[in-house]
Structures are given as C-alpha cells and as structure tokens.
Amino acid sequence: MKASELAAQVQEALDIDGSEFASRVDEEVEALREEIADGTFDNPQAIVGLECEFYAVNAETDALMRVPRRLLEYIGFEKELGLHNAELSTQPQPLSPYGLRAQEAEVQAKLDAAQQEVAREGMSLVSDGMWTVPPIGETASQYLTDSIEEGGIRMATNMSAAVRYHAMANTAYGAELRLEAPHVSLAADTVMPESLITSIQPHYQVSHAHDLPEKFRYALRIAGPLLAMSVNSPFFPPDLYNASPDDILTECWMENRVPVFESVLNPADSEKVTFPKDIDDIDQALARVADDETVVPALLDSWGRFDDEFVHFRQKHGSFWRWVRPVFDGPTREAANARIEFRPLPAQPTAHDTVSLLAVFAGLLESLPRREHPIYDQDWATARENFYAAVRDGLDAELRWITADGLETTDTEELYAELFELARDGLELRGLDAEEANRYIQPLRERVDRRVTPARWKHEQVAEAVGRGEPFPQAVWGMQAEYIDNQSETLIEGSFVDWLP
C-alpha cells in the first residue's frame, strides 16, 4: 500500500464521529447483556486457546528482519505491530488431556512448517520476550523511531500497514510515545517502540459467563507468581542504554515488556495499560470495556459473524489494554464465549514451555474456585504489588501468598509447592492423570527449584561475558546468539530446562 493511501485511510478513521461510535457501543452492550442472560455465552466445559508472538531474524547474523507480507500470509501467521513480527493463534480446545495435546501439537505443526518456509528467505522465527539485535546497518533507535509525514499524518516506517496502529499516534488520545525503563529513555513520534516486545497469551473460556468475575479475581492473584517464573526480557538493544554496564546489570528489571507497554501507550495523566481492578459482576465487566477511553473509533459494518452484532464493542475492546482482561466474542452463536485473556507472560524459549504455562494457568483457574482457596481474599493492592515485584525481580521477588490454611507466607518454596499442587489438582479435575499433569508442571517446577528463569539465564550470560572484559553490546549479542542457538534445537521438541547444565 502506498503511503498516501494509508495516510488517507488513517485520516478517514480520525474523522469518525466519536459520539456516534459511543452511542453504538452503548446499544450493543444492552444487546450483549441480554445474550449473556439468555445463556448464549455459556459452554459445556472450560475451553483453552493461545496466541503466540514471534520476531524474525537473519538466520546467519541474528539481526532483526522484516517479514514480507506475502510470506506472512503464506505461512498462515498474522501480522502484528512491527514488520518483523508474526503471530500464531491456536484453535480453542476443551481443557482436557486431548485438548492440551492438541494445543501443543498445533503450535508445533504450524511453527515447524513456518520455520521451513522462512528459512528459504534466510530467516528464522524467534520466540523471545524482546529483541536486542537491530537490523543490519541500522541502530535500534533508528528502527524504532523512523517515521514519515504524509498529508499531516505521522506514520512509522517499520510498522505494519494497519490503520489502527498508525492512527494511535495521530489521535487526541495522547499516548506518551516515550519508552521509559531503567537506564533507557527513547522518545518517538509513533507507538513503534512497543514492537520491541513479544508475548504469549493463554485464553481460558469459562463454562458459565457469570463465573467470569470469580475466576478473574483468582487470575489477578496468580499473575505475580506466574509472571515471576516466566520472565524473559531483562535487556534492551544495547544502543538504547544510557548507563554503565555495571549499573545496567545491577538495576535492570527481569520483565521489561511491562514498562515498555505501559510507558509508550499510557497518556501522562492516566493508566490505560495497567494491572486491572477486580470485577464484581458481568455488568461491571461490560461497563469497564464500554466506558474505557476510546483510542480509535470506527463505524463498522457487519460481515456476517455472530459477534458482529456488537462489532463496535469489539472495536472498543481492541484498545482495552489491561494485563488481564475479560473478552466476549465468537464467530457463531454456538462458539460465543466469555473468556479471560492472560497477557502478562513473555514469549517463551520453547513450544512446550508455552503450553506448560497455559496448562498451569488453566489448572489453577479450575482448582482455586472449586477448593474455595483463601487467596481469593488477598487484598487487590497486594496482588498488584506482587505483579510489579515479579516484573522487577522475577523469582527473586518477595511475593506474598495466602496458603490453603489461610496463613500468609513470603516463602518462595512454600508458595510454589502449593501453586503447582493446585495446578495439578485442576488438571486432574479435567481428566489428566498424574503423569500427564506432571509433564506440563515439571519444566516450570524445575525453574523454581533451580531459581533460573529465562531472564536470569540471560542475565548470567551477559554478566559473565562482561566480567571477562567483553564490551556490553557484544555481551548482549553473544547472549542472544546463544539463546537462538539453544532454541533452534529445542523450540519444537524440548524445554528451557534442557539448556541448563
């Protein structure tokens, strides 16, 4: 698409009457509320799904590469914010032994086929929390801030040609468009710095829509512990830093995806990307989305899907940026669902690690409500503190947990021993035997037992290289090369713990 054509489409989007859009959202919320009351969004059982994001690199140099759009369509992946991104989504499956196997097999099959195709272009897809090696001949700062102005519209040069992405920098919404993290500060004209980060998003469809608020509350209380053992983005591209290697190594956070997303997309005076509040009931869940500040309004037509009956509500939901969020959609009435999207987790080293996190997350949402676990009563502020402590320190964070006996503990071993037993219980409630449940739990348990997350592994690699006298940029890039080499042998079949001595 020509720049002038994209700019014209962005301008057209900016000219939409916001009040008309808001009116349509309100009407659709009423219709949605009636459908929920009629049981349309209930399912016979819990159902799970996944979104997995990747970035492309040069297969020889590990430098970031732009993925040709034709290639992206050919391999069946979806475009994301940056031209270097690719997203894989799985078909929802019942939470059962067969459903979880199907989730893993689908990720493996699609990823294996995609890797073979991109290899013909000299590329490889990487599953990682943040890229650190910019494209050949460019700095990370240049790649993230390059933009042009066409007809008064500012557009990022390296961003996918999606109207909503480019419109974000041109609306009255007022995103800061400034990346701020420990020893990193980067001003931009667009939201392109957000393309540094890649994630996985487990989805959990509740059996009954009205159970969503209860399970959502539990999801917030496990967010910190699950993030702490999955952190995977301690380092930025080296040219973005403004401090000494010693200061960077001492003060870096283990999960920098979170400050990237929050600092770039939040306005100065509000928190749209944030750890969400508890939800009391379904009406409040709908109101949270409907009342959220609109970024890019759109007046849309129906394309025949069932959820096109509330297409403007779905548009609103697209910028409902919370680390855990409720979703209501479905292409057909039979597939309509109310689900929880769990968004804090970075992309993981292997497919099995990814599905393990999905299984543990889903197992916990089965077990905790069934057992009426007292973590339900943990103060929301404590759950939020746990989340940001995990962002900063990973498994070294002091997380506060309430045990099944109702006692508070900050003992990491006690917390995770109970967490994994609850996950096992939830998976067994869904028909998995102990051996199969353990297959998903054990790789994560071993991370905790050995106190080594992907982020900690990266940090140790860089710290050792700097200690040997290597310049910091070479230390980061050497770590990244080792990460990609290890992943090439374990991505489809294997797990992160296979990397450990």
Side-chain angles (χ1 to χ4, degrees), residues 139-214:
T139 66
S141 177
Q142 290 169 340
Y143 182 79
L144 294 169
T145 60
D146 278 352
S147 65
I148 62 171
E149 185 174 318
E150 181 76 30
I153 300 298
R154 176 63 60 179
M155 298 181 292
T157 306
N158 298 305
M159 190 183 293
S160 296
V163 170
R164 69 186 185 94
Y165 293 149
H166 291 277
M168 290 177 194
N170 295 279
T171 67
Y173 165 64
E176 281 285 89
L177 306 180
R178 186 177 187 90
L179 168 58
E180 295 287 348
H183 302 301
V184 171
S185 182
L186 178 70
D189 294 322
T190 73
V191 299
M192 185 64 188
E194 197 258 321
S195 73
L196 274 165
I197 60 179
T198 42
S199 68
I200 62 170
Q201 295 181 22
H203 297 176
Y204 177 93
Q205 296 183 19
V206 299
S207 299
H208 301 285
H210 286 280
D211 293 338
L212 188 145
E214 178 189 32

Side-chain angles (χ1 to χ4, degrees), residues 50-254:
L50 265 174
E51 295 177 30
C52 309
E53 297 172 355
F54 303 84
Y55 61 78
V57 301
N58 184 297
E60 293 185 2
T61 68
D62 301 328
L64 199 70
M65 288 188 73
R66 300 161 177 87
V67 185
R69 302 296 91 177
R70 56 168 180 77
L71 179 59
L72 197 61
E73 294 173 2
Y74 183 67
I75 64 176
F77 279 49
E78 300 168 21
K79 62 185 177 183
E80 253 294 334
L81 185 68
L83 293 178
H84 57 275
N85 291 128
E87 182 179 86
L88 180 162
S89 298
T90 63
Q91 291 295 316
Q93 298 286 347
L95 177 55
S96 69
Y98 310 105
L100 286 172
R101 287 179 217 156
Q103 288 288 308
E104 186 165 9
E106 184 175 357
V107 173
Q108 291 172 317
K110 288 182 175 180
L111 190 50
D112 179 61
Q115 290 285 47
Q116 293 185 43
E117 290 302 322
V118 300
R120 303 179 198 277
E121 304 284 340
M123 294 180 185
S124 180
L125 296 177
V126 179
S127 179
D128 192 1
M130 184 183 296
W131 57 267
T132 59
V133 186
I136 296 172
E138 300 176 68
T139 66
S141 177
Q142 290 169 340
Y143 182 79
L144 294 169
T145 60
D146 278 352
S147 65
I148 62 171
E149 185 174 318
E150 181 76 30
I153 300 298
R154 176 63 60 179
M155 298 181 292
T157 306
N158 298 305
M159 190 183 293
S160 296
V163 170
R164 69 186 185 94
Y165 293 149
H166 291 277
M168 290 177 194
N170 295 279
T171 67
Y173 165 64
E176 281 285 89
L177 306 180
R178 186 177 187 90
L179 168 58
E180 295 287 348
H183 302 301
V184 171
S185 182
L186 178 70
D189 294 322
T190 73
V191 299
M192 185 64 188
E194 197 258 321
S195 73
L196 274 165
I197 60 179
T198 42
S199 68
I200 62 170
Q201 295 181 22
H203 297 176
Y204 177 93
Q205 296 183 19
V206 299
S207 299
H208 301 285
H210 286 280
D211 293 338
L212 188 145
E214 178 189 32
K215 291 183 184 283
F216 189 87
R217 185 181 178 100
Y218 279 116
L220 296 185
R221 277 129 188 100
I222 61 176
L226 290 185
L227 178 58
M229 64 181 175
S230 62
V231 288
N232 194 20
S233 57
F235 295 114
F236 288 87
D239 72 90
L240 298 184
Y241 283 106
N242 53 22
S244 69
D246 286 344
D247 286 344
I248 295 169
L249 288 165
T250 301
E251 300 170 18
C252 73
W253 292 1
M254 292 293 101

